[in-house]
Amino acid sequence: MKSSRTIRTATVIAAAVGALVLAGCSSSNGGGSGEGQDVTLEFVQSGDAAQGGGYAMLAKKYEEETGVKVKVVEVPNDDLRTRLRTASQANDLPALAAAPDADPAWTDRMLDLTDIAEEAKVIPALRVEDPEDGKVKALPTTLTGVGMFLNKTLWDEAGVEYPTTLDQQWTWDEYVEKASEVVDKTDAEFGGVIDSSAHRLRAFLFEFGSQGVTEQSDGTWALDSEGATALEYFKKLNDDGFLPKAVWAAGDDPSATFKSGRVAGYMSGVWQIADFQANIKDFEWISVPLPQQPVRSTNYGAASWIVAYDGTGVEQETLDFVKWMYQPENYTEYCEISGCLPAIEDVDIEYKDDAYAFDLYNGEIAASPEIAARQTVDGLKNSYTGLAIDSEPLKDETVKYLNGEQTLEQTVENINTISTDQMK
């Protein structure tokens, strides 16, 4: 579920909208919603269309109920961080955003969402407080987790069995052996594909018993030996042709690669379910438990963070919308339409299709070690304290390793050095 959402105060361009404004009414330009004024909240986000248009649904429903317009604007996920930073520098921040994390460029402009977090019953672990004032200034949009998909048609054609429930476990060694058999017996080209993402790679490391890149007693940051073992295993999968090397080495689209129907399995995440339901027509797919080696672990946290900005002139209108959005009825409807895991407690999500898959993700999350949720929360905490991290040394150095540009030892050393420098 890769979503990013934002709401911005509408700027009135009289020449463009004058003919559309009813007599006696005026449009607000950040000045509130007093009588006789129209308010438009621009909601900049990423991925809503791919996830069923849940935010578009909320916008329409909110306008019908309140008369306040919510303009949902789609921004490519890779551009969202830059867009918000640029807007901050130009003093033109939106009223609200669903950002991948907070950014030191605008953390001092974030409104207090503590009361909404408590009323909505946001999962306690995701109520991340600003260490300076103890206020919650970002709310998780939804819960996201890493998982495994199989091309069911290929596995069934090959007559190869696979686990379907959490009490049926398998290791990465077993997965590779079985998926290789699928490739041998069908027209499949690859045994698997894994998103070119540090988030997915961390889950892979956790499954090998690694804690990832963590702070050491001397204040440095380092990848443990289990993590190095996992990277070596990962490189072998790429070198042997089990994984399509072009995904990590050259930036090929892993989702498109899986949708080609020529790949036995795909390690991605829960956000893919809605897309697969809508767009995979040529074969059957299925969610299955993640392999472990020997640890059962996903990597999970907030898909993105709802943040509201001060200084827009429509602060109260923005807070009203956020509060409305997290009311159980509205939030439940959003999760059901978008195919998302809820980030608030005490809601009963009834998924129209593939409910088993969402149950599987919830089970994986519940069975995962504490480390599996740390990255998302730590990222937001770092942003609160003014620490801007714009690169992923775990991913960047792994790509160099896969491309043969450096040894495993050099890769680990570079990950450690760059990570330590980032956290100073």
Side-chain angles (χ1 to χ4, degrees):
M1 309 179 192
K2 295 179 182 174
S3 335
S4 297
R5 345 278 170 198
T6 317
I7 305 176
R8 170 188 310 245
T9 307
T11 300
V12 179
I13 307 176
V17 303
L20 302 178
V21 178
L22 297 176
C25 296
S26 63
S27 295
S28 115
N29 185 22
S33 60
E35 185 176 355
Q37 291 182 321
D38 292 333
V39 173
T40 298
L41 304 174
E42 185 180 329
F43 193 171
V44 180
Q45 54 74 46
S46 175
D48 188 47
Q51 294 177 350
Y55 282 111
M57 176 277 300
L58 288 179
K60 181 179 180 181
K61 183 177 179 181
Y62 191 66
E63 183 176 358
E64 290 173 350
E65 291 187 13
T66 68
V68 175
K69 298 177 182 178
V70 179
K71 181 181 179 182
V72 180
V73 178
E74 182 87 19
V75 176
N77 186 64
D78 292 342
D79 298 336
L80 184 61
R81 202 179 255 108
T82 300
R83 169 149 181 172
L84 291 175
R85 188 174 295 175
T86 301
S88 174
Q89 294 167 345
N91 196 29
D92 190 28
L93 277 168
L96 184 118
D101 48 42
D103 191 302
W106 43 257
T107 48
D108 61 345
R109 297 278 300 277
M110 297 167 68
L111 293 175
D112 182 9
L113 305 178
T114 305
D115 290 344
I116 298 176
E118 293 176 354
E119 182 178 339
K121 297 183 179 180
V122 169
I123 293 172
L126 298 179
R127 299 182 200 176
V128 185
E129 297 179 350
D130 185 330
E132 292 293 324
D133 55 23
K135 296 178 180 179
V136 175
K137 299 177 181 177
L139 304 181
T141 54
T142 55
L143 200 60
T144 185
V146 175
M148 178 68 77
F149 300 95
L150 299 185
N151 182 321
K152 184 177 184 297
T153 300
L154 289 176
W155 287 72
D156 291 351
E157 178 186 339
V160 179
E161 295 184 350
Y162 48 85
T164 57
T165 61
L166 288 176
D167 59 353
Q168 300 173 326
Q169 303 175 10
W170 56 351
T171 65
W172 270 102
D173 291 338
E174 290 169 335
Y175 171 78
V176 171
E177 180 180 357
K178 288 176 176 289
S180 296
E181 185 179 349
V182 172
V183 172
D184 291 341
K185 293 182 176 180
T186 67
D187 65 350
E189 186 175 2
F190 300 105
V193 61
I194 299 176
D195 287 336
S196 180
S197 159
H199 189 263
R200 248 64 79 230
L201 185 57
R202 286 189 186 92
F204 189 82
L205 266 56
F206 298 156
E207 290 155 4
F208 279 70
S210 174
Q211 295 291 297
V213 182
T214 57
E215 187 173 12
Q216 308 299 299
S217 58
D218 61 359
T220 61
W221 289 72
L223 179 67
D224 51 27
S225 60
E226 292 84 356
T229 298
L231 290 183
E232 187 173 30
Y233 192 103
F234 185 52
K235 187 174 191 301
K236 187 175 188 304
L237 295 181
N238 280 268
D239 290 347
D240 291 349
F242 181 84
L243 301 176
K245 197 167 186 176
V247 168
W248 275 74
D252 280 8
D253 183 348
S255 181
T257 302
F258 180 69
K259 290 177 190 175
S260 72
R262 302 288 302 283
V263 183
Y266 181 21
M267 185 175 175
S268 188
V270 65
W271 57 88
Q272 296 284 6
I273 294 176
D275 179 48
F276 289 174
Q277 289 171 338
N279 297 311
I280 293 183
K281 308 297 184 183
D282 298 331
F283 62 89
E284 288 187 78
W285 58 271
I286 187 172
S287 286
V288 297
L290 282 161
Q292 46 194 290
Q293 194 94 348
V295 177
R296 161 158 281 155
S297 182
T298 180
N299 188 18
Y300 70 95
S304 55
W305 301 93
I306 290 289
V307 294
Y309 296 107
D310 196 8
T312 63
V314 287
E315 292 86 348
Q316 189 57 54
E317 290 88 345
T318 302
L319 293 174
D320 289 344
F321 174 72
V322 176
K323 181 178 180 179
W324 177 90
M325 186 170 65
Y326 279 89
Q327 289 175 357
E329 177 186 355
N330 302 319
Y331 186 81
T332 295
E333 190 173 0
Y334 169 75
C335 287
E336 291 175 349
I337 288 176
S338 296
C340 300
L341 298 175
I344 68 176
E345 299 175 320
D346 300 334
V347 291
D348 184 16
I349 310 299
E350 295 184 6
Y351 300 101
K352 182 179 179 181
D353 298 304
D354 300 305
Y356 82 93
F358 296 99
D359 290 342
L360 191 63
Y361 275 94
N362 280 322
E364 295 273 28
I365 288 170
S368 294
E370 183 179 350
I371 190 69
R374 190 194 68 200
Q375 189 66 34
T376 297
V377 173
D378 283 355
L380 185 60
K381 287 180 178 177
N382 291 335
S383 300
Y384 276 154
T385 58
L387 186 62
I389 297 177
D390 294 324
S391 65
E392 283 281 8
L394 177 62
K395 174 188 172 181
D396 297 343
E397 298 305 313
T398 296
V399 170
K400 295 177 185 177
Y401 174 48
L402 297 179
N403 284 333
E405 299 173 26
Q406 57 194 25
T407 65
L408 175 62
E409 292 73 19
Q410 290 170 328
T411 299
V412 173
E413 181 180 352
N414 290 347
I415 290 171
N416 298 347
T417 299
I418 298 170
S419 297
T420 299
D421 290 343
Q422 281 185 338
M423 299 305 291
K424 287 181 179 178

